[in-house]
Amino acid sequence: MSDRVYNFAAGPATMPESVLQRAQSELLNWHGCGMSVMELSHRGSQFAEIHAEAKERFKRLLGVPDTHEVLFMQGGATGQFAAVPLNLMDGRAASYAVTGNFSGIAAREARRYGEVSVAFDGAEEHYRRIPRQEELSIDPGAAYFHYCANNTIFGTAWDYVPESGGVPLVCDMSSEIMSHPVDVARYALIYAGAQKNIAPAGLTVVVLDKRLAGREREITPQVFNYKTMVDKDSMPNTPPCWCIYMLGLVLGWIEEQGGLEEMDRRRRERSAVLYEVLDNSRLYLPHAERGSRSMMNVTFRTPSAELDAEFVAGAKARGLLNVKGHRLTGGMRASIYNAMPVEGARALAEYMKEFEVEHHV
Ligand SMILES: *Cc1c(COP(=O)(O)O)cnc(C)c1O
């Protein structure tokens, strides 16, 4: 694979090589127009085509029903931590499941705008697991229930869609969007910072049940107003044109590979390669509990911080980059998103086994 490394970064993260090559080949002159996508007017017919195609592909791949709209926004997933309450809180409290760092930040951000009831808090267990349905106490009068499908930092993931009893379901899918089929109709709102799995940083994708547009409060900024975004087809102002173009290419690549069923098969294959090493190891300690494991971010450690550092350095020397864990968890984290080939996971697994043989006492 030329001079490229296996990049296990959590986001911005590895992109499909063929997509980068395609972007390179079109960089100076997109489809014979004599300009780069970066230079096109966002109001012109050429960008309109790029925008429409990316949106169509997104809808097709994820199976977005006509009740829902796909919005291209900015401000990252963190922007949505504010946009969600500013648009949906509606005077009522909102319910949050706190299963990791980002869902905790989302709940804190929502508290700036109204009342938050916590349906579950995994802090005491150091976010090692996802609650079962019966452990969730969702306020039946809440404006919405928010959860984070895949906890990027702690390496846990929900293996079910929570039943919210009629309370609109809101989900942060930043680190797993487009990695498996989703029943979009069950959600009032899905959002994702695109830089983990589907595009470069700078784009946030929102899938909104249109019936929830128009509940924003007076102070909601225009660029965070879902109704404005729906009415103006995500272009009340200049959108992140380049990111939307790259999203279209990545989604085209996913379609060529076999769509979300194939992405699902691959994520299972990649993660199984790494969890198998962890399950047969006497050196490594996985962070996530077995029933709560993420297939996108695999978190583990050795018994000491020194050995962790040695592991990370040794990995780097082999072209296995960015396996150092987040400062909140320590240890290691291998992010294995859609664009990570299974060979990358196998190379890391081989290294893990060799490292264990060398260091096990
Ligand atoms: C990375 C991440 C975020 C933060 O995304 P930004 O786009 O940097 O704001 C939020 N939630 C999850 C689950 C993430 O993985």
Side-chain angles (χ1 to χ4, degrees):
M1 55 161 230
S2 66
D3 52 354
R4 284 173 55 82
V5 297
Y6 288 121
N7 176 12
F8 294 92
T14 192
M15 301 272 290
E17 201 169 321
S18 63
V19 165
L20 297 176
Q21 277 160 352
R22 169 83 182 268
Q24 182 181 43
S25 75
E26 297 180 339
L27 187 69
L28 294 176
N29 184 353
W30 182 79
H31 293 199
C33 76
M35 288 177 274
S36 168
V37 170
M38 281 182 252
E39 301 165 299
L40 296 176
S41 163
H42 65 290
R43 301 287 177 203
S45 62
Q46 289 132 339
F47 183 71
E49 196 185 308
I50 291 169
H51 186 269
E53 178 158 74
K55 188 167 143 181
E56 267 321 299
R57 280 185 175 151
F58 192 98
K59 283 176 143 172
R60 203 159 56 223
L61 269 170
L62 204 62
V64 177
D66 290 340
T67 44
H68 288 57
E69 181 62 297
V70 173
L71 306 176
F72 295 146
M73 298 178 69
Q74 299 186 63
T78 307
Q80 294 304 310
F81 296 168
V84 166
L86 279 166
N87 282 277
L88 304 182
M89 245 184 176
D90 193 1
R92 289 174 290 165
S95 176
Y96 279 73
V98 180
T99 54
N101 177 61
F102 291 115
S103 49
I105 299 175
R108 279 203 297 283
E109 187 74 358
R111 266 195 205 102
R112 298 157 59 96
Y113 303 108
E115 197 187 322
V116 165
S117 77
V118 175
F120 177 82
D121 186 353
E124 268 183 27
E125 296 168 273
H126 207 43
Y127 304 120
R128 286 179 198 281
R129 68 176 189 97
I130 297 299
R132 303 321 304 169
Q133 176 73 46
E134 53 281 9
E135 293 177 90
L136 295 173
S137 45
I138 301 172
D139 171 2
Y144 60 87
F145 168 63
H146 178 285
Y147 78 107
C148 175
N150 184 81
N151 297 281
T152 321
I153 291 177
F154 295 94
T156 61
W158 297 63
D159 65 353
Y160 68 102
V161 178
E163 178 50 62
S164 54
V167 174
L169 196 56
V170 174
C171 185
D172 177 355
M173 287 193 193
S174 294
S175 47
E176 66 154 57
I177 188 95
M178 295 289 174
S179 69
H180 63 98
V182 169
D183 183 2
V184 176
R186 292 191 63 174
Y187 293 88
L189 190 150
I190 292 166
Y191 65 89
Q195 71 275 18
K196 308 277 161 65
N197 218 14
I198 49 175
L203 171 67
T204 317
V205 181
V206 174
V207 183
L208 171 75
D209 183 332
K210 285 180 278 192
R211 289 165 291 195
L212 289 172
R215 299 184 182 184
E216 73 283 349
R217 54 181 77 172
E218 194 59 39
I219 60 157
T220 303
Q222 275 238 31
V223 293
F224 280 162
N225 184 325
Y226 293 147
K227 177 145 194 343
T228 306
M229 281 297 181
V230 171
D231 291 347
K232 305 276 185 187
D233 198 15
S234 299
M235 286 209 269
N237 67 328
T238 319
C241 303
W242 175 258
C243 296
I244 292 168
Y245 160 71
M246 290 298 290
L247 171 70
L249 295 188
V250 171
L251 298 181
W253 174 82
I254 295 176
E255 285 187 329
E256 280 162 30
Q257 302 299 303
L260 299 193
E261 281 78 14
E262 176 62 12
M263 293 300 115
D264 191 16
R265 190 194 66 72
R266 290 185 192 179
R267 72 174 180 152
R268 288 172 194 282
E269 186 179 17
R270 277 189 305 262
S271 58
V273 166
L274 297 179
Y275 285 121
E276 198 198 322
V277 176
L278 294 181
D279 285 341
N280 292 299
S281 169
R282 293 200 293 156
L283 177 69
Y284 303 113
L285 309 158
H287 183 81
E289 277 186 17
R290 211 173 269 266
S292 300
R293 288 172 166 177
S294 166
M295 288 185 251
M296 312 309 288
N297 312 95
V298 178
T299 46
F300 58 98
R301 70 181 70 247
T302 71
S304 83
E306 293 69 38
L307 211 51
D308 288 348
E310 201 181 320
F311 180 94
V312 171
K316 189 174 175 194
R318 288 195 177 201
L320 308 170
L321 264 65
N322 295 313
V323 296
K324 188 174 190 293
H326 189 275
R327 68 195 144 71
L328 289 174
T329 34
M332 276 72 73
R333 169 177 57 178
S335 297
I336 42 175
Y337 299 124
N338 283 350
M340 174 61 68
V342 67
E343 291 77 21
R346 289 212 189 95
L348 180 58
E350 275 318 304
Y351 169 64
M352 288 169 74
K353 287 188 254 180
E354 283 174 32
F355 188 87
E356 172 156 357
V357 170
E358 278 167 35
H359 292 87
H360 189 63
V361 282

